[in-house]
């Protein structure tokens, strides 16, 4: 959603082909997409009464026009939890989502070119790599009490566990926090690989208290840069061998699932908060937490 609706690549038509290989031979043409523009509109921050209680107002997905190829466009508000028959014996939602992502997330030539270029800049080579995703930004001000803003020291402690067990000391760092980047670059304990980008500056600072979607909706920042950086971070995290992050983060989940799909097995990982959950399919799910119990989480 962030890459296609909120932050489409410059010169792109807000379709998946901005970043990925075509999903279908009957995908809309560029001319058709020019007539069909999904876009994100944020409501003004505020509160309203619901069932006698005050709640935050939500955001709105708009699509114009409502008719495409002679058929009315329907916005999917809730995705059913049904999964194909071959996954039903174990109710394995995780592997079902991994396989879906493995098909949908196939980098096009431009994304592949950018990934290789970034890896060369970082001297990635063939060494084993820990993919570390430090999610700060607006998550540190999230009104949902289930999420925590973990300090960088907690990520480093997790990295030491993996280093001591597997002997790996190279870390690809994907983060929205400029302070974390500065601390990582000064590290003598690990070989941190950090892409050079202006996006962390957009996520950090005064604007960090507001959801990124709302800022992009009103024209703040470079939407194309944010979109490309999200795509590069997920794909490069996926090309690592170990994962450290918070699986409450959508981007962290994507990186972990991409890595699993490429490796074809669940890689060694440490989540500082929740276990994996389907993501945006159901509110108030009971999800296992590192506290050693199930906690309701709006996954």
């Amino acid at each position: 959603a962030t890459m296609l609706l909120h932050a489409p690549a410059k010169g792109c038509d807000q379709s998946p082909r901005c970043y990925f290989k075509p999903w279908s031979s009957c995908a809309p043409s560029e001319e058709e997409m020019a007539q069909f523009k999904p876009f994100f509109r944020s409501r003004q921050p505020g509160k309203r009464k619901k069932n006698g209680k005050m709640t935050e107002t939500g955001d709105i997905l708009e699509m114009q026009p409502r008719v495409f190829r002679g058929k009315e466009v329907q916005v999917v508000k809730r995705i059913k939890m049904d999964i194909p028959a071959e996954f039903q014996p174990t109710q394995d939602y995780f592997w079902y989502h991994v396989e879906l992502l493995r098909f949908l997330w196939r980098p096009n030539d431009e994304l592949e070119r950018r990934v290789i270029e970034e890896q060369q800049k970082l001297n990635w080579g063939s060494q084993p790599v820990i993919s570390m995703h430090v999610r700060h930004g607006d998550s540190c001000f999230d009104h949902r009490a289930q999420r925590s803003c973990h300090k960088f020291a907690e990520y480093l402690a997790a990295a030491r566990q993996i280093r001591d067990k597997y002997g790996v000391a190279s870390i690809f760092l994907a983060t929205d926090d400029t302070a974390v980047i500065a601390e990582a670059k000064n590290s003598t304990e690990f070989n941190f690989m950090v892409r050079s980008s202006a996006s962390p500056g957009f996520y950090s600072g005064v604007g960090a208290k507001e959801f990124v979607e709302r800022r992009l909706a009103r024209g703040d920042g470079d939407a194309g840069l944010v979109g490309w950086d999200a795509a590069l971070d997920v794909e490069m995290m996926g090309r690592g061998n170990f994962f450290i992050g918070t699986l409450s983060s959508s981007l962290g989940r994507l990186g972990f699932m991409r890595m699993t799909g490429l490796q074809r097995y669940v890689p060694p990982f440490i989540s500082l908060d929740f276990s994996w959950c389907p993501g945006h399919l159901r509110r108030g799910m009971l999800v296992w937490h590192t506290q050693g119990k199930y906690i309701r989480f709006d996954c």
Side-chain angles (χ1 to χ4, degrees):
T2 296
M3 289 186 292
L4 300 180
L5 294 178
H6 314 323
K10 288 184 177 180
C12 192
D13 56 13
Q14 283 186 289
S15 74
R17 59 172 160 248
C18 298
Y19 307 97
F20 312 123
K21 293 179 179 178
W23 296 345
S24 168
S25 60
C26 61
S29 65
E30 292 185 11
E31 291 75 16
E32 288 175 318
M33 282 300 298
Q35 302 296 320
F36 177 71
K37 286 287 184 181
F39 64 93
F40 184 82
R41 178 167 64 84
S42 177
R43 292 174 176 168
Q44 293 296 321
K47 295 182 179 295
R48 62 180 176 177
K49 281 190 174 182
K50 184 178 181 181
N51 298 327
K53 297 181 179 180
M54 298 300 290
T55 61
E56 291 192 359
T57 56
D59 301 312
I60 304 171
L61 172 65
E62 298 285 359
M63 290 192 178
Q64 299 293 340
R66 293 280 181 180
V67 177
F68 181 66
R69 288 186 180 177
K71 296 183 180 181
E72 183 179 356
V73 174
Q74 299 291 332
V75 179
V76 178
K77 296 183 178 180
R78 179 177 291 273
I79 303 174
K80 293 183 178 180
M81 296 291 285
D82 297 338
I83 58 177
E86 57 265 36
F87 292 92
Q88 288 180 2
T90 59
Q91 289 292 292
D92 202 334
Y93 294 112
F94 174 71
W95 276 106
Y96 175 51
H97 281 75
V98 166
E99 290 303 305
L100 279 178
L101 184 66
R102 197 162 72 98
F103 169 75
L104 298 174
W105 194 286
R106 291 172 296 148
N108 61 17
D109 291 343
E110 179 60 17
L111 177 54
E112 182 68 23
R113 182 191 69 78
R114 293 193 184 207
V115 168
I116 293 175
E117 184 179 90
E118 292 291 342
Q119 287 183 315
Q120 290 174 343
K121 290 179 182 177
L122 299 174
N123 296 316
W124 189 292
S126 59
Q127 61 185 320
V129 172
I130 298 171
S131 294
M132 179 183 289
H133 181 238
V134 180
R135 177 74 166 92
H136 283 170
D138 56 23
S139 71
C140 292
F141 303 93
D142 197 334
H143 65 279
R144 293 176 293 178
Q146 310 103 318
R147 299 180 72 175
S148 298
C149 188
H150 295 274
K151 296 180 179 180
F152 188 44
E154 298 177 64
Y155 292 87
L156 290 176
R160 292 184 190 104
Q161 292 183 50
I162 291 181
R163 180 197 60 193
D164 294 346
K165 186 173 181 63
Y166 298 99
V168 56
S170 292
I171 299 176
F172 170 67
L173 175 64
T175 183
D176 50 17
D177 192 336
T178 54
V180 167
I181 291 175
E183 188 173 349
K185 287 183 175 179
N186 290 327
S187 172
T188 57
E189 186 177 8
F190 293 97
N191 171 33
F192 276 99
M193 299 182 289
V194 186
R195 291 195 309 110
S196 177
S197 172
S199 283
F202 169 74
Y203 289 114
S204 303
V206 177
K209 293 185 178 181
E210 187 175 1
F211 285 120
V212 172
E213 296 90 332
R214 293 177 180 174
R215 296 178 62 196
L216 292 174
R218 66 167 182 262
D220 286 357
D222 186 335
L225 176 65
V226 171
W228 273 114
D229 276 347
L232 284 167
D233 279 346
V234 170
E235 181 60 22
M236 292 181 72
M237 280 194 286
R239 299 191 185 195
N241 309 93
F242 310 86
F243 177 81
I244 296 173
T246 51
L247 291 181
S248 63
S249 164
S250 298
L251 206 68
R253 282 198 300 270
L254 273 176
F256 176 59
M257 291 164 62
R258 178 63 176 155
M259 185 185 296
T260 303
L262 289 174
Q263 299 283 3
R264 310 306 297 139
Y265 61 84
V266 179
F269 73 97
I270 296 176
S271 174
L272 300 184
D273 55 11
F274 288 93
S275 62
W276 179 88
C277 56
H280 301 295
L281 295 189
R282 183 181 296 171
R283 292 188 176 275
M285 295 184 68
L286 284 172
V287 184
W288 187 255
H289 195 277
T290 53
Q291 295 178 8
K293 60 182 179 181
Y294 285 95
I295 297 177
R296 291 198 176 277
F297 178 58
D298 294 343
C299 186

